[in-house]
Amino acid sequence: MGDILVVDDEQAIRESISMFLSEKGHRVHTAGTVAASLTAFESLKPCVVILDIRLPDGSGLDALAEMRSVHPLSKIIMITAFQDMETTIEAMKRGAYDYIHKPLDADELEKTTADAVESFHEDFRAMEKDHGRPSPADSGIVGKSRAMKDIYKMIGMVCQNRAAVLITGETGTGKELAARRIHLSSPFCKKPFVTFDCSAVVDTLLESELFGHAKGAFTGAVSSRPGKIELAGDGTLFLDEIGELPLNLQGKLLGFLERKQYMRVGGETLQQSRCRVIAATNRDLAKMVREKTFRSDLYYRLKVVTILMPPLRQRLSDIDDLTAHFIRKAAHDLGVKQMTLQEGALERLKRHPWTGNVRELENIIVAAAVRSRGSMIHLDTLESILSLYPVETEGLVQDRSLAGVETRHIFNILESVKWNRTRAAEILKISLPTLRKKILKYHLSPPEK
Ligand SMILES: Nc1ncnc2c1ncn2[C@@H]1O[C@H](COP(=O)(O)OP(=O)(O)OP(=O)(O)O)[C@@H](O)[C@H]1O
Ligand SMILES: [Mg+2]
C-alpha cells in the first residue's frame, strides 16, 4: 500500500488520523513540525502526505515546496481551516494533490486519501513503464561498419554531459536504441528515461502530458498531475517523433530548452528541471522549416548536436552481424538451441533495398525463423518472405539521394560480376581506384567465402 505521512502540530489530530488510516490498512507515520516532516519525508518517500498548513516552525507551504522537489511523485493533501482558504489556493497552485477541511470528516479523509494513493500508483507505474529499464542486452547496438563506429564515437562524446541531442535517420535505423544507449552510458543512467511520443496523443492533451497540469486546469483535471518533464527528474526526457509536435507546443518547448523552466497547464509558479533532452525524428526538419511547419529557432536550438543514423543499405557489411544477432534472439525465443542460415542467404539479404532498415531485417529474420521451425533457414523461405516487401518503392522511404542511388547501382553491378572489381569498373566507366574509393565510402562488401 505504501507509506503515509501525517503532519500536524496537534497530537490529538495526528493520533486520530493515524488510527483511522491504519485501520484501513495503510502504514502511517507522523510528524509535528516542518523540520521533522522533512526528515521523515526524505527517508520514507511516502506515497501520500497529509499536511497541515500552520506548523510551529514554519508554513506547510514551504514543506510542500521542499517535498515536491525531493520526491515529486508523492501526493500531498493539505489540511485547511476555513480562514486558510487563500493559503489553500496557493498550495494547489504549488502542486498539492488535494485538500481536506478542518474539522476533519472521516468520509472525506478516507476518500481523498484513497484517491491520492491510487493516483500515486498510477503515476509510478507510468514512470516505471517509461523507464523501460532496458537490460544491457536490449540496448546492445550491433554493427562494426565505419558508419556505426562513428555513431559509437558520437554517443561516447555526448553521454558525458546534459546538452540536448537530436537523432535523425530513416525509420528503423535505431534512433531510439541510440537514445537509450546515450542514457545508459551517462553518469545519470540510474535516473529515469522517460519517453514522450510527440505523435501519440491528441493535440489538446499533449501540453499537459509534457508539462503536467494543476488541479482544475481544465474540465476533467480533477487532480494535479506531473508531466513527463517532471517524471524525467534528473534523468533523460526522450522526445520521440519531434517532427510531429504541433507548432504552438514547439514554442513552449523551445522556452523550456532555453531556460530549463516551465509552467504546468493552469499552474502559476515556474517549475525547474534538470533533465537531459534527446529528440528523434525520421522527418526532414530542414525541409519542414522551409515549409514553415517546424519552427526554425527550435530547429537551430536542437540541431547543435545531431547524430545521423545511417540507413542500412549504406552499411551492408553490418548485415552479417545483425543477422547473426537476430537469429540468436529468435532461436532463443523459439526455444531452439541453434539456428543457421543456408549458404547464399546473407548475399541475398544484401541485395534487398532495406527501406525499413534494421527493423525490417529483424522482422524478416523472425518471420523466417518461425517458418523454419527446424534449425536451418532455407533460401526459399527467405525468398518468399522477402518477396512480400517492396523491392523498389516509390517516394517516401526509399533513399532517392544521388548517394543512395549510386550505392545501390554499384552494389548491383558488383554482384552481377561476382565482385570482379576490374570488370565492374569497366561497366561503370570509372577507374579502378575510384571504384575502390566508392566501395569504401558506401561500406559495400562482397559475400562471405
Ligand atoms: N544497430 C542495431 N543493433 C541491434 N538492433 C537494432 C539496431 N538498430 C535497430 N535495431 C532494432 O531495430 C528495431 C528498430 O529500432 P528503433 O526503434 O530504435 O528505430 P527508430 O529509428 O526509432 O525507428 P522509427 O523512426 O520507426 O521510430 C528495434 O527493435 C531495435 O532494437
Ligand atoms: Mg523510434
Side-chain angles (χ1 to χ4, degrees), residues 416-436:
S416 72
V417 296
K418 301 209 162 52
W419 284 78
N420 179 332
R421 291 168 175 77
T422 316
R423 183 81 195 93
E426 278 167 25
I427 297 172
L428 291 163
K429 295 205 165 48
I430 53 175
S431 70
L432 193 53
T434 305
L435 176 61
R436 292 223 165 90

Side-chain angles (χ1 to χ4, degrees), residues 172 175-176 238 240-241 280 359:
K175 296 184 290 297
E176 179 168 351
F238 177 51
D240 206 2
E241 316 286 357
R359 181 182 294 111

Side-chain angles (χ1 to χ4, degrees), residues 41 45-47 66-74 120 124:
F41 183 85
K45 295 201 172 52
C47 57
E66 183 69 27
M67 288 174 183
R68 299 224 18 102
S69 68
V70 173
H71 188 47
L73 281 188
S74 296
F120 169 86
F124 193 80

Side-chain angles (χ1 to χ4, degrees), residues 111-406:
K111 174 154 193 331
T112 313
T113 310
D115 286 351
V117 170
E118 160 125 21
S119 169
F120 169 86
H121 286 299
E122 250 172 44
D123 289 350
F124 193 80
R125 277 193 299 272
M127 192 187 72
E128 288 272 271
K129 201 168 122 230
D130 277 338
H131 279 213
R133 298 206 182 278
S135 76
D138 284 346
S139 67
I141 307 184
V142 176
K144 295 197 281 283
S145 60
R146 181 149 8 126
M148 282 314 286
K149 284 186 181 150
D150 287 344
I151 297 289
Y152 304 144
K153 220 186 283 168
M154 280 297 279
I155 291 178
M157 259 159 20
V158 304
C159 71
Q160 291 309 320
N161 59 55
R162 287 180 171 272
V165 175
L166 176 66
I167 305 178
T168 61
E170 291 174 21
T171 181
T173 46
K175 296 184 290 297
E176 179 168 351
L177 202 60
R180 288 186 186 278
R181 187 71 257 172
I182 292 173
H183 176 75
L184 286 176
S185 310
S186 75
F188 39 96
C189 57
K190 294 267 177 359
K191 306 282 181 184
F193 178 93
V194 172
T195 300
F196 177 71
D197 185 343
C198 304
S199 69
V201 201
V202 242
D203 249 34
T204 47
L205 286 180
L206 266 180
E207 183 174 357
S208 81
E209 272 280 310
L210 184 59
F211 296 109
H213 64 72
K215 181 172 172 167
F218 46 84
T219 326
V222 286
S223 60
S224 64
R225 235 171 186 290
K228 297 273 179 166
I229 293 180
E230 198 167 329
L231 294 176
D234 287 343
T236 300
L237 175 67
F238 177 51
L239 301 173
D240 206 2
E241 316 286 357
I242 186 92
E244 312 303 319
L245 196 68
L247 272 169
N248 66 327
L249 276 184
Q250 291 176 19
K252 289 183 177 156
L253 177 64
L254 179 66
F256 169 66
L257 290 176
E258 288 186 335
R259 291 182 287 279
K260 285 283 173 187
Q261 287 180 333
Y262 65 99
M263 198 89 95
R264 286 210 205 99
V265 177
E268 288 182 10
T269 42
L270 278 176
Q271 313 278 326
Q272 282 286 345
S273 168
R274 266 171 47 78
C275 70
R276 123 74 67 81
V277 172
I278 302 179
T281 183
N282 53 27
R283 304 276 301 263
D284 181 348
L285 291 184
K287 182 156 167 264
M288 291 182 71
V289 167
R290 287 195 297 278
E291 290 165 351
K292 305 241 180 312
T293 48
F294 201 84
R295 283 180 68 125
S296 59
D297 44 9
L298 178 59
Y299 173 60
Y300 288 114
R301 178 70 182 69
L302 282 175
K303 78 167 217 163
V304 178
V305 183
T306 301
I307 298 181
L308 170 60
M309 300 302 292
L312 185 55
R313 66 187 158 278
Q314 285 178 15
R315 47 181 165 114
L316 292 169
S317 62
D318 283 341
I319 288 189
D320 301 76
D321 287 343
L322 283 165
T323 304
H325 171 72
F326 292 134
I327 287 184
R328 233 179 291 123
K329 250 173 88 175
H332 177 264
D333 290 347
L334 292 169
V336 183
K337 251 217 184 109
Q338 208 190 358
M339 259 191 165
T340 49
L341 272 179
Q342 190 182 0
E343 222 184 294
L346 278 173
E347 292 69 53
R348 175 63 190 91
L349 287 173
K350 286 180 186 168
R351 284 198 300 276
H352 189 70
W354 298 118
T355 47
N357 294 293
V358 185
R359 181 182 294 111
E360 187 172 312
L361 176 61
E362 182 171 14
N363 291 341
I364 286 173
I365 297 295
V366 170
V370 168
R371 270 187 235 180
S372 304
R373 274 171 265 143
S375 60
M376 160 89 79
I377 294 177
H378 289 273
L379 212 45
D380 314 349
T381 315
L382 207 53
E383 202 64 64
S384 67
I385 295 167
L386 284 167
S387 68
L388 301 174
Y389 287 79
V391 176
E392 186 68 31
T393 43
E394 292 298 319
L396 277 183
V397 266
Q398 179 88 348
D399 179 359
R400 300 211 158 258
S401 68
L402 197 53
V405 175
E406 191 175 66

